[in-house]
Amino acid sequence: GAVVSQHPSRVICKSGTSVKIECRSLDFQATTMFWYRQFPKQSLMLMATSNEGSKATYEQGVEKDKFLINHASLTLSTLTVTSAHPEDSSFYICSARPPSGRKGGNEQFFGPGTRLTVL
Amino acid sequence: LAKTTQPISMDSYEGQEVNITCSHNNIATNDYITWYQQFPSQGPRFIIQGYKTKVTNEVASLFIPADRKSSTLSLPRVSLSDTAVYYCLVGDKDGTNAGKSTFGDGTTLTVKP
């Protein structure tokens, strides 16, 4: 079945540095990928929708200049947290949708998540 | 996007059947209902999806009444490993909204021995 990977699974960085997180769909092409953020004991919050070959669509309140999203190919989307601060520490999760018609409906396949800790 | 409401938490014992109900009063005609399971520090995992009536797979059943304003996830004979957070989502069928879905607060299911 559809598999989505994320790299790295865990990253610790110093305040002010930038961190890049990769999301790959391993056995299908995804024209659309989603990026979520999840704080402890909270639900997933959609940050942005990543579209292959075009600019990402950000949710209200998410700074596009801070969270840079690049969907360079049909199997890879990256999220770069620029000038990270401790409040950016969170669990970042991506998801991808198979091409329309493969399964129908609105099924998303999620990556395993990336734990970011900013010191 | 349709808002969903679920119980915050539920407790059960091993071997019991667990039913988690989700309310989605504003569900749109083209919306599907999808349930995900999430363990700590992992991404959500797809459980089941349906549009109307009843859907069953190897792990769960999904019951959807005719008005589609709610749905019930049924987990037969739960085990300790079913302890997780369960999310109900509603989203468009053909991606006209880019398949965007909003996660509600989810239901934390705790299975006790």
Side-chain angles (χ1 to χ4, degrees):
Chain A
V3 178
V4 176
S5 70
Q6 281 184 242
H7 177 78
S9 59
R10 186 181 296 267
V11 57
I12 301 173
C13 69
K14 293 182 179 180
S15 184
T17 60
S18 295
V19 174
K20 179 184 286 187
I21 302 170
E22 293 185 349
C23 176
R24 294 181 184 272
S25 54
L26 298 183
D27 54 356
F28 66 96
Q29 293 183 333
T31 55
T32 302
M33 292 184 174
F34 303 94
W35 286 96
Y36 296 83
R37 180 167 54 181
Q38 186 175 34
F39 293 107
K41 304 289 186 183
Q42 294 186 24
S43 182
L44 284 76
M45 184 190 77
L46 180 66
M47 299 175 66
T49 302
S50 171
N51 301 299
E52 189 268 337
S54 64
K55 292 183 179 180
T57 303
Y58 290 82
E59 294 301 300
Q60 190 173 8
V62 179
E63 300 175 57
K64 63 180 182 181
D65 294 331
K66 179 170 183 61
F67 299 98
L68 302 179
I69 292 174
N70 185 293
H71 198 145
S73 73
L74 288 172
T75 59
L76 173 63
S77 175
T78 60
L79 167 68
T80 301
V81 183
T82 63
S83 187
H85 289 94
E87 57 265 31
D88 298 323
S89 298
S90 187
F91 192 52
Y92 291 86
I93 307 170
C94 72
S95 73
R97 296 183 70 242
S100 177
R102 169 175 158 158
K103 282 185 179 269
N106 189 31
E107 184 175 353
Q108 297 180 46
F109 294 93
F110 288 83
T114 297
R115 175 75 59 192
L116 170 63
T117 302
V118 184
L119 302 177
Chain B
L1 295 174
K3 176 179 168 58
T4 60
T5 303
Q6 305 172 230
I8 293 175
S9 63
M10 295 182 68
D11 290 343
S12 181
Y13 291 92
E14 284 190 289
Q16 290 188 332
E17 177 185 79
V18 171
N19 296 308
I20 306 174
T21 297
C22 178
S23 297
H24 28 79
N25 292 318
N26 297 323
I27 188 169
T29 302
N30 289 338
D31 282 346
Y32 274 62
I33 301 156
T34 311
W35 285 79
Y36 291 89
Q37 175 192 56
Q38 186 183 29
F39 297 112
S41 296
Q42 294 186 28
R45 184 177 74 101
F46 172 87
I47 300 175
I48 198 167
Q49 182 182 75
Y51 183 77
K52 61 180 180 180
T53 62
K54 177 183 175 182
V55 179
T56 297
N57 62 22
E58 61 276 10
V59 297
S61 294
L62 179 59
F63 298 93
I64 306 169
D67 65 6
R68 302 197 333 120
K69 293 184 182 300
S70 67
S71 58
T72 299
L73 172 72
S74 181
L75 304 172
R77 297 182 298 280
V78 295
S79 63
L80 296 176
S81 62
D82 293 317
T83 294
V85 180
Y86 293 81
Y87 294 99
C88 156
L89 276 73
V90 295
D92 63 324
K93 171 183 178 182
D94 58 4
T96 53
N97 197 28
K100 189 164 68 173
S101 300
T102 301
F103 278 80
D105 293 334
T107 298
T108 299
L109 172 66
T110 303
V111 180
K112 303 175 182 178

